[in-house]
Amino acid sequence: MPHPIARRHLLAGAATLPLAAPALAQAQWSPNRPIRLVVGFPPAGTTDIAARIIAEPLGQRLGQPVVIENRAGAGGNVGADAVAKAEPDGYTLLMQTVSSGAINYQLYGGRMPYKPEDFAGVSLVVRVPNAIFVHPSVRANTLAELIELARANPGRMNIGSSGIGTSLHMTGELLKLATGIDLVHVPFRGAGPMLAECVAGRIEVAVDNLPSVIGHFRDGRLRPLAVTTATRSPQLPDVPTTAEAGQPSVEATAWFGVMAPARAPRPAVERIGREIEAVLANPAIWARMAELGGMRADLVEGGGSTPATFDQFVRAEVAKWTEVVRRSGATVS
């Protein structure tokens, strides 16, 4: 018979055995049903495009389909709120954007249905420049010419965006703030509807993320005047930056990343984050992002991101855009 002390040790060890299997299973989280990736904007915009580029290969790596669900409205808030309130089990994710993930907190104020802490970062997928552009009928070939035209026609020209609170809206507000021009903001429920109106000539000026509009630039249906990043886009090497065009304060980079509800299992968050990074490391997949003007995340050495570094990035973005919105005076009526 074991010594009493030894017997106590054996019993204590045995008591821990039932816990070991579930803990190991959790650490090796593997989905057993489809995963929903919510996009807070309609199809054909940059958020939707980026989500669809990663969805299929991510599903292949996880062994379960990743299904895109478009839930548009309120500058991305409708879709984001649905994910914030979803069961935190790793099976509902959000393609978060700079608008619903940073800008809207100040813009909507007390009407925001969720808080930054309602989400857990998974992976910063891609960053993209915004572009300021016009319909070819507009008599402006440069940003300076557009500013002069708008000054001569105060309140008579429209500027479109994919929705109130998006980085596109705020880029337009920065342009107006920097130049004093009076352009009438026309928000749409996504980039797709906005671009259709702009191509038709019913919206003279617009701002969009480069991936969803670059095809229109290449076929001449829309004319780019400037990109809003610190350096020129390799996809549009002849288009100046806003700084080169004389407006250095009009700088904005849109970003798109996957987030989960805050209480999602950490092993699920870490696993999905690793698999997204592996997808983006595939040259064929990244070539599709780069062709659209996408820039790789650089939150860790060598490029890419982790859940922890994405969380840190989002906190900094919330602080930055809170100040920009406050300075612009933009509000949601």
Side-chain angles (χ1 to χ4, degrees):
M1 183 174 181
H3 188 279
I5 295 178
R7 186 169 182 273
R8 284 200 299 272
H9 282 301
L10 287 170
L11 290 173
T16 65
L17 289 176
L19 300 178
L24 183 61
Q26 186 183 44
Q28 296 176 343
W29 183 87
S30 183
N32 57 20
R33 63 181 188 272
I35 294 171
R36 189 168 52 125
L37 178 55
V38 176
V39 173
F41 297 89
T46 302
T47 316
D48 182 73
I49 292 170
R52 292 182 189 277
I53 287 175
I54 67 168
E56 184 177 352
L58 176 60
Q60 291 171 350
R61 295 190 65 88
L62 291 171
Q64 291 291 334
V66 175
V67 181
I68 303 297
E69 180 179 319
N70 295 91
R71 301 191 64 168
N77 286 0
V78 171
D81 186 45
V83 175
K85 294 177 172 58
E87 185 68 25
D89 53 12
Y91 290 92
T92 301
L93 305 171
L94 173 68
M95 194 64 167
Q96 185 66 286
T97 71
V98 63
S99 56
S100 55
I103 295 171
N104 288 359
Y105 295 113
Q106 174 70 15
L107 193 71
Y108 284 79
R111 286 177 287 172
M112 277 295 280
Y114 55 85
K115 305 180 294 300
E117 52 266 34
D118 290 334
F119 299 99
V122 178
S123 173
L124 176 57
V125 173
V126 64
R127 297 180 299 120
V128 300
N130 292 335
I132 301 170
F133 55 93
V134 295
H135 185 267
S137 63
V138 176
R139 298 190 310 275
N141 292 306
T142 67
L143 187 59
E145 289 177 356
L146 173 64
I147 293 167
E148 288 306 309
L149 185 62
R151 283 175 176 157
N153 298 275
R156 296 174 61 186
M157 298 178 68
N158 295 323
I159 182 167
S161 80
S162 61
I164 294 174
T166 62
S167 70
L168 313 180
H169 172 204
M170 296 314 304
T171 298
E173 292 299 320
L174 282 173
L175 178 63
K176 292 193 284 185
L177 190 67
T179 62
I181 59 176
D182 182 9
L183 297 172
V184 179
H185 177 227
V186 181
F188 289 84
R189 288 173 61 88
M194 182 268 288
L195 288 172
E197 290 297 289
C198 198
V199 167
R202 289 184 284 270
I203 298 291
E204 298 96 335
V205 188
V207 182
D208 196 10
N209 307 135
L210 195 54
S212 52
V213 74
I214 195 168
H216 294 304
F217 296 161
R218 288 170 176 161
D219 63 22
R221 286 185 286 183
L222 296 171
R223 180 189 302 136
L225 302 183
V227 293
T228 63
T229 41
T231 59
R232 294 193 182 199
S233 166
Q235 281 67 40
L236 295 173
D238 296 329
V239 177
T241 66
T242 45
E244 291 173 329
Q247 302 300 329
S249 65
V250 186
E251 183 178 332
T253 302
W255 53 263
F256 305 86
V258 174
M259 304 197 89
R263 293 182 294 110
R266 199 64 194 174
V269 169
E270 297 286 348
R271 167 82 193 279
I272 296 169
R274 288 195 303 271
E275 300 299 359
I276 292 174
E277 291 300 312
V279 166
L280 295 173
N282 183 324
I285 297 297
W286 185 253
R288 295 172 62 189
M289 291 283 193
E291 183 180 327
L292 296 169
M295 300 180 294
R296 192 76 169 92
D298 57 358
L299 304 186
V300 297
E301 187 176 353
S305 69
T306 63
T309 58
F310 187 28
D311 278 333
Q312 293 170 355
F313 173 84
V314 171
R315 286 194 291 270
E317 285 289 286
V318 170
K320 168 189 170 180
W321 286 104
T322 294
E323 179 62 17
V324 170
V325 174
R326 187 193 63 76
R327 284 179 49 228
S328 74
T331 59
V332 177
S333 58

